[in-house]
Amino acid sequence: MTTDVGTPLNDIADATARAVAEDPANALVVFRASGATEGTVGSAITLGKYTVRVDEPPALGGADTAPNPVEVYLASLIACQVVTYRFWAQRLGVTIDELSVSAEGDLDVRGFFGLDDNVRAGFQAVRVTVHIGGPDTDQRYAELQQAVDAHCPVLDLTTGRTPVETILITD
């Protein structure tokens, strides 16, 4: 996999910049998802024309028929990192011959089960490992990593504060 700096991703970024300059409202995009129960603790999540199934392992009440929610989060983080590395490599003119990303997170289930209200329900720590190769210098790849860390939307969801409003509708 070689990232060519003249590929359509730069064209997409340029076209987006022009559209946003013409009308800042063009910068706003709404993504939607909806879910329904499936099995004991599983769910079927609809994302446009796609369906993603999520379950839990037996130790958490599930049938282990699909990845669990925090695994789906890690998958989302990895996928976003891959896209953001490729995008920013082209923007910065950095060549990538090899790229793979892995992630792992530490979760203390006392938070989820309410066994200790001082323990977060989510990950206490997440580690992302990026293996990257190509002809550029270590300094250029470090510059690329800084750009990715600053612009990866899913990483930002974890490291920044995103207001979430929950609306409860009862029948």
Side-chain angles (χ1 to χ4, degrees):
M1 172 201 88
T2 298
T3 302
D4 177 5
V5 296
T7 64
L9 292 180
N10 279 332
D11 295 340
I12 291 168
D14 293 341
T16 301
R18 286 190 301 276
V20 170
E22 290 173 15
D23 182 358
N26 289 331
L28 304 176
V29 180
V30 176
F31 291 91
R32 290 180 175 81
S34 62
T37 61
E38 191 170 83
T40 305
V41 295
S43 54
I45 309 301
T46 302
L47 308 164
K49 65 181 183 178
Y50 302 102
T51 299
V52 175
R53 288 190 158 60
V54 181
D55 198 6
E56 292 284 359
L60 295 176
D64 204 19
T65 61
N68 70 36
V70 294
E71 290 169 327
V72 172
Y73 160 77
L74 291 175
S76 294
L77 177 58
I78 290 168
C80 198
Q81 287 274 295
V82 168
V83 168
T84 308
Y85 265 94
R86 295 178 82 183
F87 177 83
W88 278 94
Q90 291 179 20
R91 297 299 288 169
L92 297 173
V94 175
T95 301
I96 297 175
D97 290 336
E98 298 175 34
L99 176 66
S100 65
V101 181
S102 61
E104 62 182 12
D106 302 326
L107 186 83
D108 186 331
V109 297
R110 291 179 297 173
F112 173 74
F113 284 111
L115 303 175
D116 185 341
D117 288 337
N118 294 317
V119 175
R120 287 185 63 198
F123 283 126
Q124 282 71 44
V126 173
R127 290 169 299 286
V128 177
T129 302
V130 178
H131 293 271
I132 194 166
D136 288 301
T137 65
D138 289 350
Q139 181 179 354
R140 290 290 284 153
Y141 291 115
E143 178 185 346
L144 175 59
Q145 179 192 3
Q146 289 174 350
V148 170
D149 287 350
H151 297 97
C152 178
V154 177
L155 180 61
D156 178 73
L157 289 172
T158 300
T159 59
R161 290 184 176 234
T162 303
V164 175
E165 176 186 357
T166 302
I167 299 167
L168 179 65
I169 301 172
T170 60
D171 293 323

